[in-house]
Amino acid sequence: MTKRPLVFFAHHQGRGHANRIMAIAAYIPHDRPLHILTAKPDQFDNMPRHSKITQLPDMIGAPSRSNALHEEPTPSIMHCVPLGVDEMRQHMRIIANTLGEVDPALFVIDVSAEIALLARIMSVPAISIRMHGSRNDTGHLAAYEASVGMLAPFDEAIEQEDYPAWARERTYYTGGLCTTDGPVLERELARERLGLPTDKSITLVIAGGGGSGTPYAPLTVAARAEPNALWLIAGPLHKEGHETDFGNLRELGWVDNLDEYLAAADRVVASAGDNTVHEIARFAKPFLCIPEWRYFDEQRRKAIELDRVGGAIYRETWPASIPEWKEALAATDNLDTANLAQLHEPDAARRAAEWLEAKAMEYWTAS
C-alpha cells in the first residue's frame, strides 16, 4: 500500500528551518513521499533524498492594494496577515491547493502559527515545530491547539516554565538537534589543519545568518581585553565605520568548515540560534551567549534557559568595556561544559523522523 506523503512547510527566514527539515528528512522511510513548501527552494539544494519542492511567493514586504486595506488592524489570533496583499493570497492558495491535492499523512510546519490554523480548517493533521520565546499569546496558543502535536528540537531540560502543561504533554522533545555532522576533531589536530597557533588562547565568534550581523565594535574591545589571545569571527559583521582594527582580531567571513574552527577554539561567543547552540554543545565548548533580537523574544528566552542549566553565560547586551569583557569571559571559562554537552542529542534528527512516522501510522492505519 502506498503511504501518504509528509508535507513540510519551511519558513524562509534564516537557514535553520530548511537545514532542520533536511536533517529529519534523511531518516524518513523512503517509501514515505516528501513534499516541501518553501519560498527559497535553493536552500534545499542538498536535500538528502528525493522530494517534490513547490515554491511559494515571498510575501514579506509586499504591498496592500489600497491604503484602507493596509490600515486594517491585525486580529489578535494572528500575527502577520495584512489585507489586500496579492502575494499572501497566492502563498496561502498554493499551500491550500497542495494540501488538497496531496492529502498528506501529516503537515509539518517549521514555523507559522497561521498556517497551523489553515491546516486545521482544511482538516489536515498538523505538527508544529517548536521554538523558544514569549509565545503565550492568543495566536500561538491557538496554533498549539490546532496541531495534533508539537515537535521540540531541543532537550526538555531547557523548556520554559511558562509553556502550558497541556501543550507540553503533546510535545515530543528530540533532544538537541544539530544539523551539522562529521567528526569532532581534537583541538590540536584542528589547529594544525587550519594553520592556527597552538600556544594561544582562541575565541571563536559565530555570527548567524538570520539577522543583520554581529556588531564589530564590541569585538574590538574584546581583542584589547585579551591582547595575547586570538579572536576569530565567522559570519557576517555589522560595522559602523568608527572601529579600530587589531592584529589579534581576524575576520573569517562565511566558512564551510565551521566544525574545524569549533574544535580549535577554547571558548565560543555566539547568539542563541537553534543550530548554533547545538553545534557548540556538540563540541562542549565554554559558551558566552549574547542573543540577537528575534520576534517573540525567541533567542533571549532560550539564552535564559541555557544560563539556568549552566550551559552558557547569558548577557543581554555586548560588553562595552575591558573590565566587562574580562568579567564575562572569566565566568564563561568557569562553566562546566558537561552541562551544555548533555543538551546535544546525536540521534535527534532520527528520533524526530521516527516520531513523525509513528504519528503518521497512528492516524492512517485502518482500525
Side-chain angles (χ1 to χ4, degrees), residues 26-77:
Y27 295 96
I28 299 292
H30 280 250
D31 59 349
R32 175 78 66 186
L34 300 182
H35 196 127
I36 310 294
L37 293 162
T38 176
K40 290 189 175 179
D42 61 304
Q43 291 188 337
F44 289 88
D45 287 346
N46 295 321
M47 191 71 180
R49 52 162 292 189
H50 174 73
S51 63
K52 183 173 182 180
I53 298 179
T54 296
Q55 183 166 5
L56 299 170
D58 186 350
M59 58 189 180
I60 302 302
S64 296
R65 286 181 288 169
S66 75
N67 288 336
L69 287 168
H70 179 70
E71 291 170 1
E72 278 295 312
T74 299
S76 62
I77 202 169

Coordinates of all heavy atoms in Angstrom, one line a residue, residues 26-77:
A26 N 16.3 13.0 6.1 CA 17.3 11.9 5.8 C 16.9 10.6 6.5 O 17.3 9.5 6.0 CB 18.7 12.3 6.3
Y27 N 16.0 10.6 7.5 CA 15.6 9.4 8.3 C 14.2 9.0 8.1 O 13.7 8.0 8.6 CB 15.9 9.7 9.8 CG 17.4 9.8 10.1 CD1 17.9 11.1 10.2 CD2 18.2 8.7 10.3 CE1 19.3 11.3 10.5 CE2 19.5 8.9 10.6 CZ 20.1 10.1 10.7 OH 21.4 10.3 11.0
I28 N 13.5 9.8 7.3 CA 12.1 9.4 6.9 C 12.2 8.2 6.0 O 13.0 8.1 5.0 CB 11.3 10.5 6.2 CG1 11.2 11.8 7.1 CG2 10.0 10.1 5.8 CD1 10.4 11.6 8.3
P29 N 11.4 7.1 6.3 CA 11.4 5.9 5.4 C 11.2 6.3 3.9 O 10.4 7.2 3.6 CB 10.3 5.1 5.9 CG 10.1 5.5 7.3 CD 10.4 6.9 7.4
H30 N 12.0 5.7 3.0 CA 12.0 6.0 1.6 C 10.7 5.7 0.9 O 10.4 6.2 -0.2 CB 13.2 5.4 0.9 CG 14.4 6.1 1.1 ND1 15.1 6.8 0.2 CD2 15.2 6.3 2.3 CE1 16.2 7.4 0.6 NE2 16.3 7.1 1.9
D31 N 9.8 4.9 1.5 CA 8.5 4.6 0.9 C 7.5 5.6 1.4 O 6.3 5.5 1.1 CB 8.0 3.2 1.3 CG 7.9 2.9 2.8 OD1 8.4 3.8 3.6 OD2 7.3 1.9 3.1
R32 N 7.9 6.7 2.1 CA 7.0 7.8 2.5 C 7.4 9.0 1.6 O 8.4 9.6 1.9 CB 7.3 8.1 4.0 CG 6.5 9.3 4.5 CD 5.0 9.0 4.8 NE 4.8 8.0 5.9 CZ 3.6 7.6 6.2 NH1 2.6 7.9 5.5 NH2 3.5 6.7 7.2
P33 N 6.6 9.4 0.7 CA 6.9 10.5 -0.2 C 7.0 11.8 0.6 O 6.3 12.0 1.6 CB 5.8 10.6 -1.2 CG 5.2 9.2 -1.1 CD 5.4 8.7 0.3
L34 N 7.9 12.7 0.2 CA 8.0 14.0 0.8 C 7.7 15.1 -0.1 O 8.0 15.1 -1.3 CB 9.5 14.2 1.3 CG 10.0 13.2 2.3 CD1 11.4 13.5 2.7 CD2 9.1 13.1 3.6
H35 N 7.1 16.2 0.4 CA 6.8 17.4 -0.4 C 7.1 18.6 0.5 O 6.7 18.7 1.6 CB 5.3 17.4 -0.7 CG 4.9 18.3 -1.8 ND1 4.2 17.9 -2.9 CD2 5.1 19.6 -1.9 CE1 4.0 19.0 -3.7 NE2 4.5 20.0 -3.1
I36 N 7.9 19.5 -0.1 CA 8.4 20.7 0.6 C 7.7 21.9 0.0 O 7.7 22.1 -1.2 CB 9.9 20.8 0.5 CG1 10.7 19.5 0.8 CG2 10.4 22.0 1.4 CD1 10.5 19.1 2.2
L37 N 7.2 22.8 0.9 CA 6.7 24.1 0.5 C 7.6 25.1 1.1 O 7.8 25.2 2.3 CB 5.3 24.3 1.1 CG 4.2 23.4 0.5 CD1 3.0 23.4 1.4 CD2 3.8 23.8 -0.9
T38 N 8.2 26.0 0.2 CA 9.2 27.0 0.7 C 9.3 28.1 -0.3 O 9.1 28.0 -1.5 CB 10.6 26.3 0.8 OG1 11.5 27.3 1.2 CG2 11.0 25.7 -0.5
A39 N 9.6 29.3 0.2 CA 9.8 30.5 -0.6 C 11.3 30.5 -1.1 O 11.6 31.3 -2.0 CB 9.5 31.8 0.2
K40 N 12.1 29.6 -0.6 CA 13.5 29.6 -1.0 C 13.9 28.2 -1.4 O 14.6 27.5 -0.6 CB 14.4 30.2 0.1 CG 14.3 31.7 0.2 CD 15.3 32.3 1.1 CE 15.2 33.8 1.2 NZ 16.2 34.4 2.1
P41 N 13.6 27.7 -2.5 CA 13.9 26.3 -2.9 C 15.4 26.0 -2.9 O 15.8 24.9 -2.7 CB 13.3 26.1 -4.3 CG 12.2 27.2 -4.4 CD 12.7 28.3 -3.6
D42 N 16.2 27.1 -3.2 CA 17.7 26.8 -3.3 C 18.3 26.4 -1.9 O 19.3 25.8 -1.9 CB 18.4 28.1 -3.7 CG 18.2 29.3 -2.8 OD1 17.0 29.6 -2.5 OD2 19.1 29.9 -2.3
Q43 N 17.5 26.7 -0.8 CA 18.0 26.2 0.5 C 17.9 24.7 0.6 O 18.5 24.1 1.6 CB 17.2 26.9 1.6 CG 17.5 28.4 1.7 CD 16.9 29.0 3.0 OE1 15.9 28.4 3.5 NE2 17.4 30.1 3.4
F44 N 17.3 24.0 -0.3 CA 17.1 22.6 -0.3 C 18.0 21.9 -1.4 O 17.7 20.8 -1.8 CB 15.6 22.2 -0.4 CG 14.8 22.5 0.8 CD1 14.2 23.8 0.9 CD2 14.7 21.6 1.8 CE1 13.5 24.1 2.1 CE2 13.9 21.9 2.9 CZ 13.3 23.2 3.1
D45 N 19.0 22.6 -1.9 CA 19.8 22.0 -2.9 C 20.6 20.8 -2.4 O 20.9 19.9 -3.2 CB 20.9 23.0 -3.4 CG 20.3 24.1 -4.3 OD1 19.1 23.9 -4.7 OD2 20.9 25.1 -4.5
N46 N 20.7 20.6 -1.1 CA 21.4 19.5 -0.5 C 20.5 18.5 0.1 O 20.9 17.7 1.0 CB 22.5 19.9 0.5 CG 23.6 20.8 -0.1 OD1 24.0 20.5 -1.2 ND2 24.0 21.8 0.6
M47 N 19.2 18.5 -0.4 CA 18.2 17.6 0.2 C 18.8 16.1 0.1 O 19.2 15.7 -1.0 CB 16.9 17.7 -0.6 CG 15.7 17.0 0.0 SD 15.2 17.8 1.5 CE 13.8 16.7 1.9
P48 N 18.8 15.4 1.2 CA 19.4 14.1 1.2 C 18.6 13.0 0.4 O 19.2 11.9 0.2 CB 19.5 13.7 2.7 CG 18.4 14.5 3.3 CD 18.2 15.7 2.5
R49 N 17.4 13.2 0.1 CA 16.6 12.2 -0.7 C 15.6 12.9 -1.6 O 15.4 14.1 -1.4 CB 15.9 11.3 0.3 CG 15.1 12.0 1.4 CD 14.1 11.1 2.0 NE 13.0 10.7 1.1 CZ 11.9 10.1 1.4 NH1 11.7 9.7 2.7 NH2 11.0 9.8 0.5
H50 N 15.0 12.2 -2.5 CA 14.1 12.8 -3.4 C 12.9 13.3 -2.7 O 12.3 12.7 -1.8 CB 13.6 11.7 -4.4 CG 12.6 12.3 -5.4 ND1 12.9 13.2 -6.4 CD2 11.2 12.0 -5.4 CE1 11.7 13.5 -7.0 NE2 10.7 12.8 -6.4
S51 N 12.5 14.5 -3.1 CA 11.2 15.1 -2.6 C 10.8 16.1 -3.6 O 11.6 16.7 -4.4 CB 11.5 15.8 -1.3 OG 12.4 16.8 -1.4
K52 N 9.5 16.3 -3.7 CA 8.9 17.4 -4.5 C 9.0 18.7 -3.8 O 8.6 18.8 -2.6 CB 7.5 17.0 -4.9 CG 6.9 18.1 -5.9 CD 5.5 17.6 -6.4 CE 5.0 18.7 -7.4 NZ 3.7 18.3 -7.9
I53 N 9.4 19.7 -4.5 CA 9.6 21.0 -3.9 C 8.7 22.0 -4.6 O 8.8 22.1 -5.9 CB 11.0 21.5 -3.9 CG1 11.9 20.6 -3.0 CG2 11.1 22.9 -3.3 CD1 13.3 20.9 -2.9
T54 N 7.8 22.7 -3.9 CA 6.9 23.7 -4.5 C 7.3 25.1 -4.0 O 7.4 25.3 -2.8 CB 5.5 23.4 -4.2 OG1 5.1 22.2 -4.8 CG2 4.5 24.5 -4.7
Q55 N 7.6 26.0 -4.9 CA 8.0 27.3 -4.5 C 6.8 28.2 -4.1 O 5.8 28.2 -4.8 CB 8.8 28.0 -5.6 CG 9.3 29.4 -5.1 CD 10.4 30.0 -6.0 OE1 10.7 29.4 -7.1 NE2 10.9 31.1 -5.7
L56 N 6.9 28.9 -3.0 CA 5.9 29.8 -2.5 C 6.3 31.2 -2.8 O 7.5 31.5 -2.8 CB 5.6 29.7 -1.0 CG 5.2 28.3 -0.5 CD1 5.2 28.2 1.0 CD2 3.7 28.0 -1.0
P57 N 5.4 32.2 -3.1 CA 5.8 33.6 -3.2 C 6.4 34.1 -1.9 O 6.0 33.7 -0.8 CB 4.5 34.3 -3.5 CG 3.5 33.2 -3.9 CD 3.9 32.0 -3.2
D58 N 7.4 34.9 -2.0 CA 7.9 35.6 -0.9 C 7.1 36.9 -0.6 O 7.1 37.8 -1.4 CB 9.4 36.0 -1.1 CG 10.1 36.6 0.1 OD1 9.3 36.9 1.1 OD2 11.3 36.8 0.1
M59 N 6.3 36.8 0.4 CA 5.3 37.8 0.6 C 5.8 38.9 1.6 O 5.1 39.9 1.8 CB 4.0 37.2 1.2 CG 4.1 36.5 2.5 SD 2.6 35.6 2.9 CE 3.1 34.8 4.4
I60 N 7.0 38.8 2.1 CA 7.5 39.8 3.1 C 7.7 41.1 2.4 O 8.4 41.2 1.4 CB 8.8 39.3 3.7 CG1 8.6 37.9 4.4 CG2 9.3 40.3 4.7 CD1 7.5 37.9 5.5
G61 N 7.0 42.1 2.9 CA 7.2 43.5 2.4 C 6.3 43.8 1.2 O 6.3 44.9 0.7
A62 N 5.5 42.8 0.7 CA 4.7 43.0 -0.4 C 3.5 44.0 0.0 O 3.0 43.9 1.1 CB 4.1 41.7 -0.9
P63 N 3.2 44.9 -0.9 CA 2.2 46.0 -0.6 C 0.8 45.5 -0.6 O 0.4 44.6 -1.4 CB 2.5 47.0 -1.6 CG 2.9 46.3 -2.8 CD 3.7 45.1 -2.3
S64 N -0.1 46.2 0.2 CA -1.5 46.1 0.0 C -2.0 46.8 -1.2 O -1.3 47.7 -1.7 CB -2.2 46.6 1.3 OG -1.9 45.8 2.4
R65 N -3.2 46.5 -1.7 CA -3.7 47.2 -2.9 C -4.4 48.5 -2.6 O -4.7 49.2 -3.6 CB -4.6 46.2 -3.6 CG -3.8 45.1 -4.3 CD -4.7 44.2 -5.1 NE -5.4 43.3 -4.2 CZ -6.4 42.6 -4.6 NH1 -6.8 42.6 -5.9 NH2 -7.1 41.8 -3.8
S66 N -4.5 48.9 -1.4 CA -5.0 50.2 -1.1 C -4.6 50.6 0.4 O -4.3 49.7 1.2 CB -6.6 50.2 -1.2 OG -7.1 49.6 0.0
N67 N -4.6 51.9 0.6 CA -4.2 52.3 2.0 C -5.2 51.9 3.0 O -4.8 51.5 4.1 CB -4.1 53.9 2.0 CG -2.9 54.4 1.2 OD1 -1.9 53.7 1.1 ND2 -3.0 55.6 0.7
A68 N -6.5 51.9 2.6 CA -7.5 51.4 3.6 C -7.3 50.0 4.0 O -7.5 49.6 5.2 CB -8.9 51.6 3.0
L69 N -7.0 49.1 3.0 CA -6.7 47.7 3.4 C -5.5 47.6 4.3 O -5.4 46.9 5.2 CB -6.5 46.9 2.1 CG -7.8 46.6 1.3 CD1 -7.4 46.1 -0.1 CD2 -8.7 45.6 2.0
H70 N -4.5 48.4 3.9 CA -3.2 48.3 4.7 C -3.4 48.8 6.1 O -2.7 48.3 7.0 CB -2.2 49.3 4.0 CG -0.9 49.3 4.7 ND1 0.0 48.2 4.7 CD2 -0.3 50.3 5.4 CE1 1.1 48.6 5.4 NE2 1.0 49.8 5.8
E71 N -4.3 49.7 6.4 CA -4.5 50.2 7.7 C -5.4 49.3 8.6 O -5.6 49.6 9.8 CB -5.1 51.6 7.6 CG -4.1 52.6 7.0 CD -4.7 53.9 6.7 OE1 -5.9 54.1 6.9 OE2 -3.9 54.8 6.2
E72 N -6.0 48.3 8.0 CA -6.9 47.4 8.9 C -6.1 46.7 9.9 O -5.0 46.2 9.6 CB -7.6 46.4 8.0 CG -8.8 46.9 7.3 CD -9.9 47.3 8.3 OE1 -10.2 46.5 9.2 OE2 -10.5 48.4 8.1
P73 N -6.5 46.7 11.2 CA -5.7 46.1 12.3 C -5.7 44.6 12.2 O -6.5 44.0 11.6 CB -6.5 46.5 13.5 CG -7.9 46.8 13.1 CD -7.8 47.3 11.7
T74 N -4.6 44.0 12.7 CA -4.4 42.6 12.7 C -5.3 42.0 13.8 O -5.2 42.4 15.0 CB -2.9 42.2 13.0 OG1 -2.1 42.8 11.9 CG2 -2.7 40.7 13.0
P75 N -6.0 40.9 13.5 CA -6.8 40.2 14.6 C -5.9 39.6 15.6 O -4.8 39.2 15.3 CB -7.6 39.2 13.9 CG -6.9 39.0 12.6 CD -6.2 40.3 12.2
S76 N -6.3 39.5 16.9 CA -5.4 39.0 18.0 C -5.0 37.6 17.8 O -4.0 37.2 18.4 CB -6.1 39.2 19.3 OG -7.3 38.5 19.4
I77 N -5.8 36.8 17.0 CA -5.5 35.4 16.9 C -4.4 35.1 15.9 O -4.0 34.0 15.7 CB -6.8 34.6 16.6 CG1 -6.6 33.1 17.0 CG2 -7.1 34.7 15.1 CD1 -7.9 32.3 16.9

